[in-house]
Amino acid sequence: MALRLSPCSPSSSSAAFSCSSFDHETIPARTSFTTWSCQRSKNGGKFELKASNVHPPGAVSLQTEGTRTNPLTANPVKTREKESSLAFRESREEESTLSIVVLGASGDLARNKIFPALFALFYEDHLPENFMIFGYARSTMTHDELRKSISKNLTCRIDKRENCSEKMDQFLKRCFYHSGQYSSEEHFLELDKILKEKEAGRRSNRLYYLATPPSLFVDAVRCARRRASSLSGWTRVIVEKPFGRDLESSRGLTRSLRQYLSEDEIFRIDHHLGEELFENLLALRFSNLVFEPLWSRNYIRNVQLIFSDDLGMEGQGRYFDDYGIIRDILQNHLIHLLALFAMETPVSLDAEDIRNEKVKVLRSIKPLGLQDVVVGQYKGCSEGNASYPAYTDDPTVSKNSLTPTFAAATLFINNARWDGVPFMMIAGKALQSKRAEIRVQFRHVPGNLYNRNSGTDLDKATNELVIRVQPDEAIYLKINNKVPGLGKRLDCSDLNLLFKTRYPSEGPDAYERLLLDATKGEHRLFIRSDELDAAWAVFTPLLKELERRKVQPELYPYGSEGPVGVHYLAARHNVRCADFSN
């Protein structure tokens, strides 16, 4: 063992030295040590070694946590106590149980989306070893009846392994049912007793999914918190949209939920936020140097966020007629897509860092007025031998309904990066095609050499970046190139990343990603309360004006491109509407 001597400040009577006889990296944190000081004696100049039991520099006292700093490198050093704590924590996780309770288990959302997503997670080994799923609803049903109901929608769609039926059987054996009222604490107490029996004394983590009408949210959360929350682990609640009808009702709902849950325990879900488009947008922006310098008002002419559906209501109009396309799509989905597109670079990919930047963008958007929008409603039409119903032909919709099934809105972000750039949202039902995408149109080339005698429509030849989820997931960039030959004619071509060609395996459903994130406590794709407030602040003045003035939506034929008025709105802001043939 070598002694390292470093000089101290000498006194008038002696020259003192400190002697290190131990290695800081290998010593347990809460141990007393014998350290040695070397002092030159007054007589003869000899060194005397003196020992004392003290903590060495950088050691941790009994009152501090089990991490310390290496005095040589200033880096944190893990202690044995920390390692043992982690090992204990890991062993506790192995002993824990995940209980997922789906409220509204007899509804279409649970049968068609939630249970199939949970099975896909189980099929791919993303759920813990000890888990169970409880359906909860007012309907009377046995465990076997629930299993039979949900088994109809379970598929091994990912790679169709031979053990598919075996995995289904294993999954269904973990599924149970309990009937009860959403406002009955007694019924939730019964549920709690059953859950505890199944959890068998393990550490309990519980995830509640509220696949119920919004009017039942608060009662269900109250009962779950008071009578059926975990006492040894975490309790989290996924809340389905809609989150209120306007800013005031949204804030009221949040206040009511916060009586029983902290913000970290609330997961406000919009399944569209779990689509690949959101993940790809982040990767495209922040992992490719080529795009970041262009991502501003200096190069981008306009941005279009499009969500179109080729189906109408077909008997499902009861919910929609209460909310309409603006609340259902623009405020819940497209506004958050816009925020991700336009936000500044976050500090990290952590949930709070991303959501902080989104809030800044949302608070910078000017509230919408009637002059900024076009609303429409589809009407019936006939084509050949086929006839298509109008929105008001739906038996669940009032004949005099003014609820818009189409809306186009132009928004502006009042900050240095995006000042003056129109962001156009377009969403509608019963349109020509099913489509979800972002289209970024760039500015014209300054002093373009091909502006004369090139036979090119430069407005149509503007560079355009398209990020598409439907109909075929893709990212492509429209560029101009010369047509081969003796002339100078230009053509617009696509640099295309078609996902089904590049990545042939089928990706996860949006619900799978969001449910997995909720079990992990990952909030990145869920909506925080201040995000929700900021989004509602953009649309609430418009919604109140539409209802106060009873604005008549422009009619458009089922299966068309939508109201003609959208082209006038686009032209007012020098926006060329997307060509859906491309």
Side-chain angles (χ1 to χ4, degrees), residues 362-433:
L362 294 173
R363 293 178 62 188
S364 300
I365 298 175
K366 179 183 176 183
L368 289 169
L370 289 178
Q371 71 280 3
D372 301 313
V373 299
V374 170
V375 293
Q377 186 184 99
Y378 67 85
K379 63 181 180 179
C381 67
S382 299
E383 185 176 331
N385 295 327
S387 60
Y388 301 93
Y391 173 70
T392 52
D393 290 337
D394 190 297
T396 61
V397 173
S398 167
K399 293 295 182 182
N400 300 318
S401 175
L402 297 179
T403 300
T405 62
F406 177 98
T410 306
L411 299 90
F412 290 89
I413 302 173
N414 295 325
N415 63 21
R417 181 184 288 265
W418 297 111
D419 185 33
V421 176
F423 285 77
M424 193 166 185
M425 295 181 180
I426 302 173
K429 299 281 188 179
L431 294 175
Q432 186 179 46
S433 61

Coordinates of all heavy atoms in Angstrom, one line a residue, residues 362-433:
L362 N -48.7 26.8 -27.2 CA -50.2 27.0 -27.1 C -50.6 28.3 -26.5 O -51.6 29.0 -27.0 CB -50.8 25.9 -26.2 CG -50.6 24.5 -26.8 CD1 -51.1 23.4 -25.7 CD2 -51.5 24.3 -28.0
R363 N -49.8 28.8 -25.6 CA -50.1 30.2 -25.0 C -49.8 31.3 -25.9 O -50.2 32.4 -25.7 CB -49.4 30.3 -23.7 CG -49.8 29.4 -22.6 CD -49.0 29.5 -21.3 NE -49.1 30.9 -20.8 CZ -48.4 31.4 -19.7 NH1 -47.5 30.6 -19.2 NH2 -48.6 32.6 -19.3
S364 N -49.0 31.0 -27.0 CA -48.7 32.0 -28.0 C -49.7 32.1 -29.1 O -49.6 33.0 -30.0 CB -47.3 31.8 -28.5 OG -46.3 31.8 -27.5
I365 N -50.7 31.2 -29.2 CA -51.6 31.2 -30.3 C -52.7 32.1 -30.0 O -53.3 32.2 -28.9 CB -52.2 29.7 -30.5 CG1 -51.0 28.8 -30.8 CG2 -53.2 29.7 -31.6 CD1 -51.5 27.3 -30.9
K366 N -53.1 32.9 -31.0 CA -54.2 33.9 -30.9 C -55.5 33.1 -30.9 O -55.7 32.2 -31.7 CB -54.1 34.8 -32.1 CG -55.2 35.9 -32.1 CD -55.1 36.7 -33.4 CE -56.3 37.7 -33.5 NZ -56.3 38.5 -34.7
P367 N -56.4 33.5 -30.0 CA -57.7 32.8 -29.9 C -58.5 33.0 -31.2 O -58.4 34.0 -31.9 CB -58.5 33.5 -28.8 CG -57.4 34.0 -27.9 CD -56.2 34.4 -28.8
L368 N -59.2 32.0 -31.6 CA -59.9 32.0 -32.9 C -61.2 32.8 -32.9 O -61.9 32.8 -31.8 CB -60.2 30.5 -33.3 CG -59.0 29.7 -33.8 CD1 -59.5 28.2 -33.9 CD2 -58.5 30.2 -35.1
G369 N -61.6 33.4 -34.0 CA -62.8 34.1 -34.2 C -63.6 33.5 -35.4 O -63.0 32.7 -36.1
L370 N -64.8 34.0 -35.6 CA -65.6 33.4 -36.7 C -64.9 33.7 -38.1 O -65.0 32.9 -39.0 CB -67.0 34.1 -36.7 CG -67.9 33.7 -35.6 CD1 -69.3 34.4 -35.7 CD2 -68.2 32.2 -35.6
Q371 N -64.2 34.8 -38.2 CA -63.5 35.1 -39.4 C -62.4 34.1 -39.8 O -61.9 34.1 -40.9 CB -63.0 36.5 -39.4 CG -61.8 36.7 -38.5 CD -62.1 36.9 -37.0 OE1 -63.3 36.8 -36.7 NE2 -61.1 37.2 -36.2
D372 N -61.9 33.3 -38.8 CA -60.8 32.4 -39.0 C -61.2 31.0 -39.3 O -60.3 30.1 -39.5 CB -60.0 32.3 -37.7 CG -59.5 33.7 -37.2 OD1 -58.9 34.4 -38.1 OD2 -59.6 34.0 -36.0
V373 N -62.5 30.7 -39.4 CA -62.9 29.3 -39.6 C -64.0 29.2 -40.7 O -64.7 30.2 -41.1 CB -63.5 28.7 -38.3 CG1 -62.5 28.7 -37.2 CG2 -64.8 29.5 -37.9
V374 N -64.1 28.0 -41.2 CA -65.2 27.5 -42.0 C -65.8 26.3 -41.4 O -65.0 25.3 -41.1 CB -64.8 27.3 -43.5 CG1 -65.9 26.6 -44.3 CG2 -64.4 28.6 -44.2
V375 N -67.1 26.2 -41.2 CA -67.7 25.0 -40.7 C -68.7 24.4 -41.7 O -69.3 25.1 -42.5 CB -68.4 25.2 -39.4 CG1 -67.4 25.6 -38.3 CG2 -69.5 26.3 -39.5
G376 N -68.8 23.1 -41.7 CA -69.6 22.4 -42.7 C -70.3 21.2 -42.1 O -70.0 20.7 -41.0
Q377 N -71.3 20.7 -42.8 CA -72.0 19.5 -42.4 C -72.4 18.7 -43.7 O -72.9 19.3 -44.6 CB -73.3 19.9 -41.6 CG -74.1 18.7 -41.0 CD -75.4 19.2 -40.4 OE1 -76.5 19.1 -41.0 NE2 -75.3 19.7 -39.2
Y378 N -72.1 17.4 -43.6 CA -72.4 16.6 -44.9 C -73.9 16.4 -45.1 O -74.6 16.2 -44.2 CB -71.6 15.4 -44.9 CG -71.9 14.3 -43.9 CD1 -73.0 13.4 -44.1 CD2 -71.3 14.2 -42.7 CE1 -73.3 12.4 -43.2 CE2 -71.6 13.2 -41.7 CZ -72.6 12.3 -42.0 OH -72.9 11.3 -41.1
K379 N -74.2 16.4 -46.4 CA -75.6 16.1 -46.8 C -75.6 14.8 -47.6 O -74.6 14.3 -48.0 CB -76.2 17.3 -47.6 CG -75.4 17.5 -48.9 CD -76.0 18.7 -49.7 CE -75.3 18.9 -51.0 NZ -75.9 20.0 -51.8
G380 N -76.8 14.3 -47.7 CA -77.0 13.0 -48.5 C -76.8 13.2 -50.0 O -76.9 14.3 -50.5
C381 N -76.4 12.2 -50.6 CA -76.2 12.2 -52.1 C -76.3 10.8 -52.6 O -76.3 9.8 -51.9 CB -74.9 12.8 -52.5 SG -73.5 11.8 -52.0
S382 N -76.5 10.7 -54.0 CA -76.6 9.4 -54.6 C -75.5 9.4 -55.7 O -75.2 10.4 -56.4 CB -78.0 9.3 -55.3 OG -79.0 9.3 -54.3
E383 N -75.0 8.2 -55.9 CA -73.9 8.0 -56.9 C -74.1 6.6 -57.5 O -73.9 5.6 -56.8 CB -72.5 8.1 -56.2 CG -71.4 8.0 -57.2 CD -70.0 8.2 -56.6 OE1 -70.0 8.9 -55.6 OE2 -69.1 7.7 -57.1
G384 N -74.6 6.6 -58.7 CA -75.0 5.3 -59.3 C -76.1 4.7 -58.6 O -77.2 5.3 -58.4
N385 N -75.9 3.4 -58.2 CA -77.0 2.7 -57.4 C -76.8 2.9 -55.9 O -77.6 2.4 -55.2 CB -76.9 1.2 -57.8 CG -77.2 0.9 -59.2 OD1 -78.1 1.7 -59.8 ND2 -76.6 -0.1 -59.8
A386 N -75.8 3.6 -55.5 CA -75.5 3.8 -54.1 C -76.1 5.2 -53.6 O -76.0 6.2 -54.4 CB -74.1 3.7 -53.8
S387 N -76.6 5.2 -52.5 CA -77.1 6.4 -51.9 C -76.5 6.6 -50.5 O -76.3 5.6 -49.8 CB -78.6 6.5 -51.7 OG -79.1 5.4 -50.9
Y388 N -76.1 7.8 -50.1 CA -75.4 8.1 -48.9 C -76.3 9.0 -48.0 O -76.8 10.0 -48.5 CB -74.1 8.6 -49.1 CG -73.2 7.7 -50.0 CD1 -73.2 7.9 -51.3 CD2 -72.4 6.7 -49.4 CE1 -72.4 7.0 -52.1 CE2 -71.6 5.9 -50.1 CZ -71.6 6.0 -51.5 OH -70.8 5.2 -52.3
P389 N -76.5 8.7 -46.7 CA -77.3 9.6 -45.9 C -76.7 10.9 -45.5 O -75.5 11.0 -45.4 CB -77.6 8.7 -44.7 CG -76.4 7.9 -44.6 CD -75.9 7.6 -46.0
A390 N -77.5 11.8 -45.2 CA -77.1 13.1 -44.6 C -76.8 12.9 -43.1 O -77.2 11.9 -42.5 CB -78.1 14.2 -44.8
Y391 N -76.1 13.8 -42.5 CA -75.8 13.7 -41.1 C -77.1 13.7 -40.3 O -77.2 12.9 -39.3 CB -74.9 14.9 -40.7 CG -74.7 15.0 -39.2 CD1 -73.9 14.1 -38.5 CD2 -75.3 16.1 -38.5 CE1 -73.7 14.2 -37.1 CE2 -75.0 16.2 -37.1 CZ -74.2 15.3 -36.4 OH -74.0 15.4 -35.1
T392 N -78.0 14.5 -40.6 CA -79.3 14.6 -39.9 C -80.2 13.5 -40.2 O -81.3 13.4 -39.5 CB -80.0 16.0 -40.2 OG1 -80.1 16.1 -41.6 CG2 -79.2 17.1 -39.6
D393 N -79.8 12.6 -41.1 CA -80.6 11.4 -41.3 C -80.3 10.3 -40.2 O -81.0 9.3 -40.1 CB -80.3 10.8 -42.7 CG -80.9 11.6 -43.8 OD1 -81.8 12.4 -43.5 OD2 -80.4 11.5 -45.0
D394 N -79.2 10.5 -39.5 CA -78.9 9.5 -38.5 C -80.0 9.6 -37.4 O -80.3 10.7 -36.9 CB -77.5 9.9 -37.9 CG -77.0 8.8 -37.0 OD1 -77.6 8.6 -35.9 OD2 -75.9 8.3 -37.3
P395 N -80.5 8.4 -37.0 CA -81.6 8.4 -36.0 C -81.2 9.0 -34.6 O -82.0 9.3 -33.8 CB -82.0 6.9 -35.9 CG -80.8 6.2 -36.4 CD -80.2 7.1 -37.4
T396 N -79.9 9.0 -34.3 CA -79.4 9.6 -33.0 C -79.1 11.1 -33.1 O -78.7 11.6 -32.1 CB -78.2 8.8 -32.6 OG1 -77.1 9.0 -33.5 CG2 -78.4 7.3 -32.5
V397 N -79.4 11.7 -34.2 CA -79.1 13.1 -34.4 C -80.4 13.9 -34.7 O -81.3 13.5 -35.4 CB -78.1 13.3 -35.6 CG1 -77.9 14.8 -35.9 CG2 -76.8 12.7 -35.3
S398 N -80.5 15.1 -34.1 CA -81.6 15.9 -34.3 C -81.7 16.4 -35.7 O -80.7 16.7 -36.4 CB -81.5 17.2 -33.4 OG -82.5 18.1 -33.7
K399 N -82.9 16.5 -36.3 CA -83.1 16.9 -37.7 C -82.7 18.4 -37.9 O -82.3 18.8 -39.0 CB -84.6 16.8 -38.0 CG -85.1 15.3 -38.1 CD -84.4 14.6 -39.2 CE -84.9 13.1 -39.3 NZ -84.2 12.4 -40.4
N400 N -82.7 19.2 -36.8 CA -82.3 20.6 -36.9 C -80.9 20.8 -36.4 O -80.6 22.0 -36.1 CB -83.3 21.4 -36.1 CG -84.7 21.3 -36.6 OD1 -85.0 21.3 -37.8 ND2 -85.7 21.2 -35.7
S401 N -80.1 19.8 -36.3 CA -78.8 20.0 -35.7 C -77.9 20.9 -36.5 O -77.8 20.8 -37.8 CB -78.1 18.6 -35.6 OG -76.8 18.7 -35.2
L402 N -77.2 21.8 -35.8 CA -76.2 22.7 -36.4 C -74.8 22.2 -36.1 O -73.8 23.0 -36.4 CB -76.4 24.1 -35.9 CG -77.8 24.8 -36.3 CD1 -77.8 26.2 -35.7 CD2 -78.0 24.8 -37.8
T403 N -74.6 21.0 -35.6 CA -73.3 20.5 -35.2 C -72.4 20.4 -36.5 O -72.8 19.7 -37.4 CB -73.4 19.2 -34.5 OG1 -74.2 19.3 -33.3 CG2 -72.0 18.6 -34.2
P404 N -71.3 21.0 -36.5 CA -70.4 20.8 -37.7 C -69.7 19.5 -37.8 O -69.2 19.0 -36.8 CB -69.4 22.0 -37.6 CG -69.3 22.3 -36.1 CD -70.7 21.9 -35.6
T405 N -69.7 18.9 -38.9 CA -69.0 17.6 -39.2 C -67.7 17.9 -40.0 O -66.9 17.0 -40.2 CB -69.8 16.6 -40.0 OG1 -70.2 17.2 -41.3 CG2 -71.1 16.3 -39.3
F406 N -67.5 19.2 -40.3 CA -66.3 19.7 -41.0 C -65.9 21.0 -40.4 O -66.8 21.8 -40.1 CB -66.5 19.8 -42.5 CG -65.3 20.3 -43.3 CD1 -64.5 19.4 -43.9 CD2 -65.0 21.7 -43.3 CE1 -63.4 19.9 -44.6 CE2 -63.9 22.2 -44.0 CZ -63.1 21.3 -44.6
A407 N -64.6 21.2 -40.2 CA -64.1 22.5 -39.8 C -62.7 22.8 -40.4 O -61.9 21.8 -40.4 CB -64.1 22.6 -38.3
A408 N -62.5 24.0 -40.8 CA -61.2 24.4 -41.2 C -60.9 25.7 -40.5 O -61.7 26.6 -40.4 CB -61.1 24.6 -42.7
A409 N -59.7 25.8 -39.9 CA -59.4 27.0 -39.1 C -57.9 27.4 -39.4 O -57.0 26.5 -39.6 CB -59.5 26.7 -37.6
T410 N -57.7 28.7 -39.4 CA -56.4 29.2 -39.6 C -55.9 29.9 -38.3 O -56.5 30.8 -37.8 CB -56.3 30.3 -40.7 OG1 -56.9 29.7 -41.9 CG2 -54.9 30.7 -41.1
L411 N -54.7 29.4 -37.8 CA -54.2 29.8 -36.5 C -52.8 30.5 -36.8 O -52.1 30.1 -37.7 CB -54.0 28.7 -35.5 CG -55.3 27.9 -35.1 CD1 -55.5 26.8 -36.0 CD2 -55.1 27.4 -33.7
F412 N -52.5 31.4 -35.9 CA -51.2 32.1 -36.0 C -50.5 32.1 -34.6 O -51.2 32.2 -33.6 CB -51.3 33.6 -36.4 CG -51.8 33.7 -37.9 CD1 -53.1 33.7 -38.2 CD2 -50.8 33.8 -38.9 CE1 -53.5 33.8 -39.6 CE2 -51.2 33.9 -40.2 CZ -52.5 33.9 -40.6
I413 N -49.2 31.8 -34.6 CA -48.4 31.7 -33.4 C -47.6 33.0 -33.3 O -46.8 33.3 -34.1 CB -47.5 30.5 -33.4 CG1 -48.3 29.2 -33.6 CG2 -46.6 30.5 -32.2 CD1 -47.4 28.0 -33.8
N414 N -47.9 33.7 -32.2 CA -47.2 35.1 -32.0 C -45.9 34.9 -31.3 O -45.8 35.3 -30.1 CB -48.2 36.0 -31.3 CG -49.4 36.3 -32.1 OD1 -49.4 36.4 -33.3 ND2 -50.5 36.5 -31.4
N415 N -44.9 34.4 -32.0 CA -43.6 34.3 -31.4 C -42.6 34.6 -32.5 O -42.9 34.7 -33.7 CB -43.3 33.0 -30.6 CG -43.3 31.8 -31.5 OD1 -43.2 31.9 -32.7 ND2 -43.5 30.7 -30.9
A416 N -41.3 34.7 -32.1 CA -40.3 35.1 -33.1 C -40.1 34.0 -34.2 O -39.7 34.4 -35.3 CB -38.9 35.3 -32.3
R417 N -40.3 32.8 -33.9 CA -40.0 31.7 -34.9 C -41.1 31.7 -35.9 O -40.8 31.4 -37.1 CB -39.9 30.4 -34.2 CG -39.6 29.2 -35.2 CD -39.5 27.9 -34.5 NE -38.3 27.7 -33.6 CZ -37.2 27.1 -34.0 NH1 -37.1 26.7 -35.2 NH2 -36.2 27.0 -33.2
W418 N -42.4 31.9 -35.5 CA -43.5 31.6 -36.4 C -44.4 32.8 -36.8 O -45.4 32.6 -37.4 CB -44.4 30.5 -35.8 CG -43.6 29.2 -35.6 CD1 -43.3 28.6 -34.4 CD2 -43.2 28.3 -36.6 NE1 -42.6 27.5 -34.7 CE2 -42.6 27.2 -36.0 CE3 -43.2 28.4 -38.0 CZ2 -42.0 26.2 -36.7 CZ3 -42.7 27.3 -38.8 CH2 -42.1 26.3 -38.1
D419 N -44.0 34.0 -36.4 CA -44.8 35.2 -36.7 C -45.2 35.3 -38.2 O -44.3 35.3 -39.0 CB -44.0 36.4 -36.2 CG -44.9 37.7 -36.4 OD1 -46.1 37.6 -36.1 OD2 -44.3 38.7 -36.7
G420 N -46.5 35.3 -38.4 CA -47.0 35.5 -39.8 C -47.2 34.2 -40.6 O -47.7 34.3 -41.7
V421 N -46.8 33.1 -40.0 CA -47.0 31.8 -40.8 C -48.3 31.2 -40.5 O -48.6 30.9 -39.3 CB -45.9 30.8 -40.4 CG1 -46.1 29.4 -41.1 CG2 -44.5 31.3 -40.8
P422 N -49.2 31.0 -41.5 CA -50.5 30.4 -41.2 C -50.4 28.9 -41.0 O -49.8 28.2 -41.7 CB -51.3 30.7 -42.5 CG -50.3 31.0 -43.5 CD -49.1 31.5 -42.9
F423 N -51.0 28.5 -39.9 CA -51.2 27.0 -39.6 C -52.7 26.7 -39.8 O -53.5 27.2 -39.1 CB -50.8 26.7 -38.1 CG -49.3 26.7 -37.9 CD1 -48.6 27.9 -37.8 CD2 -48.6 25.5 -37.8 CE1 -47.3 27.9 -37.5 CE2 -47.3 25.5 -37.5 CZ -46.6 26.7 -37.4
M424 N -52.9 25.9 -40.8 CA -54.3 25.6 -41.2 C -54.7 24.2 -40.8 O -54.0 23.2 -41.2 CB -54.4 25.8 -42.7 CG -55.9 25.8 -43.2 SD -56.1 26.4 -44.9 CE -57.8 26.5 -45.0
M425 N -55.7 24.1 -40.0 CA -56.2 22.8 -39.6 C -57.5 22.5 -40.4 O -58.4 23.3 -40.6 CB -56.7 22.8 -38.1 CG -55.5 23.0 -37.1 SD -56.2 23.0 -35.4 CE -54.7 23.2 -34.5
I426 N -57.5 21.2 -40.9 CA -58.7 20.8 -41.7 C -59.1 19.4 -41.2 O -58.3 18.5 -41.1 CB -58.3 20.7 -43.2 CG1 -57.8 22.1 -43.7 CG2 -59.5 20.2 -44.0 CD1 -57.3 22.0 -45.1
A427 N -60.3 19.3 -40.7 CA -60.8 18.0 -40.2 C -62.3 17.8 -40.6 O -63.0 18.8 -40.6 CB -60.7 17.9 -38.7
G428 N -62.7 16.6 -41.0 CA -64.0 16.4 -41.4 C -64.4 14.9 -41.5 O -63.6 14.1 -41.6
K429 N -65.7 14.7 -41.4 CA -66.3 13.4 -41.6 C -66.9 13.3 -43.0 O -67.3 14.3 -43.6 CB -67.4 13.1 -40.6 CG -66.9 13.1 -39.1 CD -66.2 11.8 -38.8 CE -65.9 11.8 -37.3 NZ -65.3 10.5 -36.9
A430 N -67.1 12.0 -43.5 CA -67.7 11.8 -44.8 C -67.1 12.5 -45.9 O -67.8 13.1 -46.8 CB -69.2 12.1 -44.7
L431 N -65.7 12.5 -45.9 CA -65.0 13.2 -47.0 C -64.5 12.2 -48.1 O -64.8 11.0 -48.0 CB -63.8 13.9 -46.4 CG -64.2 15.1 -45.5 CD1 -62.9 15.7 -44.9 CD2 -64.9 16.2 -46.3
Q432 N -63.8 12.7 -49.0 CA -63.4 11.9 -50.2 C -62.5 10.7 -49.8 O -62.5 9.6 -50.4 CB -62.7 12.8 -51.2 CG -62.3 12.1 -52.5 CD -61.7 13.1 -53.5 OE1 -60.8 13.8 -53.1 NE2 -62.1 13.1 -54.7
S433 N -61.6 11.0 -48.8 CA -60.6 10.0 -48.4 C -60.4 10.0 -46.9 O -60.7 11.0 -46.2 CB -59.3 10.2 -49.2 OG -58.8 11.5 -48.8

